[in-house]
Amino acid sequence: MSYYKRAIDVLSRYQQKDRITKLNKVLNGRTRGLTVVLENIIDPGNAAAVLRTVESHGIQDVHLIESWHNFNINSEITKGCDRWMTIHRYKSPVDCLEKLKKDKYAIWSSCIGEESISIQSAAFPRIKPIDPHQAAATLAAAAATKPFEELMDPKDTHNEQHSFMREALDRVKLHPFGDLDPKKSKAKVRSVAANAAAAAAAAVVSVATGPLTTAAATVAGPLAAAVAAAASGPLSTLAGEVAADSLNHVNKLAIVFGNENRGVSKYMKQESDGLFELPMRGMSQSYNISASVAISMAYLNSWGGIQPDLSDEEKEQILFEWLIKSTEFAKKILEKEGLRPDNY
């Protein structure tokens, strides 16, 4: 048994069972595939609001660049959320970028200008793509066997199955329910027509983009044959959209937000893999930094871009760190059990 597991077993005795259950549930929704970088944020209120937004979306790591201004955390606004995050601090963007590139992140900076693309663009990177055939097969199988409220539990929207189904729906460009929250649209979710539409669209995409996978062939074979002719007509655009949506996929993504007045530094822009901006339709020229981060998180989450991905080893280490922070006299307790904290 690893040091972390032994220490967790000991410290868990000093926590309520419900507390441990909550910590594990949050851990199961955590991601390191997406991270946020903040460069020289001045306003403590903005800084705190950003951390709270990011943590609430399940992002474990935040990178703070403090080359000319220290990042001050306002605990009254964060409500202690920073205790549950891994915060990395740097004195220059050079050090931060070196770390991110070493960890194989694609780096995209928020910046208003002609060189930037919209975060809604197909060219903006997507994390961990789902193959269109896999998405089609999954939707076809799901639609043929279960109502969607059984597949997408509204009480646990961060589990892997829920995230996969959301992205699968997006991959075939079909949202038959309008609102994907089963709790709010139960009647629509249970609709036989909606499930049939999902199966039909999945079958069309499979036919139009390549051979049917085994799962799709088994579940949607007859249906696919019936609609195959439609794939050469107007519905062929569905497959085209799926293919276009695959222009820029990455395994890990870091999005960078700069100072409230100056934006991201020139060096950060030059070293980024791309620049993006948020859609605006009014006279205002920019969003507040905390609003920018919140909008970005909401957009990324809407197509399944924030997915749980921590390994068992990472979960153990983070849970250990959380219990150290949550348990009074944690270090003394571990020392008494022969588990000195400096052993890890």
Side-chain angles (χ1 to χ4, degrees):
M1 183 183 292
S2 71
Y3 171 82
Y4 293 129
K5 281 186 178 178
R6 287 183 291 147
I8 288 169
D9 285 345
V10 171
L11 295 178
S12 294
R13 301 170 199 162
Y14 296 85
Q15 298 287 331
Q16 295 289 332
K17 186 177 179 180
D18 289 348
R19 179 71 164 177
I20 298 299
T21 300
K22 172 68 173 179
L23 291 177
N24 280 311
K25 182 176 181 180
V26 170
L27 264 179
N28 288 332
R30 279 297 207 244
T31 181
R32 276 185 160 152
L34 176 66
T35 191
V36 170
V37 181
L38 303 174
E39 187 177 26
N40 294 310
I41 305 301
I42 294 177
D43 189 312
N46 281 337
V50 168
L51 289 183
R52 196 168 172 185
T53 296
V54 170
E55 194 278 332
S56 69
H57 278 83
I59 295 174
Q60 182 60 34
D61 296 286
V62 171
H63 300 262
L64 308 178
I65 300 173
E66 303 167 297
S67 52
W68 53 266
H69 192 278
N70 290 335
F71 188 102
N72 297 312
I73 298 174
N74 186 327
S75 58
E76 290 186 6
I77 298 177
T78 63
K79 303 299 182 183
C81 75
D82 49 298
R83 298 174 61 211
W84 314 112
M85 307 176 75
T86 304
I87 297 179
H88 309 263
R89 293 178 180 265
Y90 311 87
K91 284 301 180 183
S92 78
V94 177
D95 296 336
C96 179
L97 286 169
E98 182 180 346
K99 166 68 174 171
L100 292 172
K101 289 180 179 181
K102 181 181 178 181
D103 291 340
K104 299 183 179 179
Y105 280 93
I107 302 162
W108 279 68
S109 292
S110 175
C111 177
I112 298 173
E114 293 182 1
E115 296 180 359
S116 299
I117 65 169
S118 170
I119 195 172
Q120 296 177 323
S121 167
F124 185 79
R126 295 199 171 196
I127 306 169
K128 293 185 178 179
I130 288 179
D131 180 86
H133 303 141
Q134 185 185 13
T138 300
L139 283 176
T145 59
K146 290 183 178 180
F148 272 83
E149 77 270 16
E150 293 180 23
L151 292 160
M152 299 171 67
D153 183 356
K155 296 180 181 178
D156 189 10
T157 59
H158 293 297
N159 67 58
E160 292 183 15
Q161 179 174 261
H162 192 289
S163 296
F164 183 91
M165 291 303 298
R166 283 180 67 102
E167 188 176 349
L169 283 165
D170 185 70
R171 293 288 283 151
V172 298
K173 300 293 181 184
L174 183 76
H175 296 274
F177 328 127
D179 185 349
L180 283 180
D181 183 348
K183 195 173 183 181
K184 295 180 181 177
S185 54
K186 242 179 181 179
K188 291 183 181 179
V189 172
R190 287 177 173 169
S191 163
V192 175
N195 284 321
V204 171
V205 173
S206 284
V207 171
T209 58
L212 281 169
T213 60
T214 302
T218 301
V219 178
L223 179 59
V227 298
S232 59
L235 285 176
S236 62
T237 57
L238 191 63
E241 287 177 338
V242 169
D245 154 357
S246 306
L247 287 176
N248 190 10
H249 282 124
V250 297
N251 289 323
K252 299 168 81 175
L253 175 65
I255 53 175
V256 186
F257 298 89
N259 172 264
E260 293 95 327
N261 299 317
R262 304 182 188 181
V264 295
S265 64
K266 183 178 180 181
Y267 179 80
M268 182 62 77
K269 290 179 188 177
Q270 291 173 343
E271 295 297 316
S272 293
D273 296 302
L275 305 176
F276 74 95
E277 60 185 6
L278 301 175
M280 298 192 71
R281 296 182 175 84
M283 294 295 289
S284 299
Q285 295 183 342
S286 65
Y287 292 106
N288 172 280
I289 175 67
S290 59
S292 294
V293 174
I295 293 169
S296 299
M297 292 298 101
Y299 173 74
L300 292 169
N301 190 53
S302 72
W303 53 260
I306 304 177
Q307 299 183 41
D309 60 14
L310 296 187
S311 66
D312 290 340
E313 291 76 15
E314 287 175 313
K315 289 178 184 178
E316 280 181 16
Q317 182 176 352
I318 293 170
L319 181 56
F320 165 76
E321 292 169 355
W322 287 357
L323 288 174
I324 286 283
K325 296 174 182 177
S326 304
T327 309
E328 192 173 9
F329 306 119
K331 292 184 179 180
K332 289 185 178 180
I333 291 170
L334 292 176
E335 287 175 0
K336 187 177 179 180
E337 296 287 336
L339 296 168
R340 290 176 60 83
D342 56 2
N343 286 349
Y344 70 92

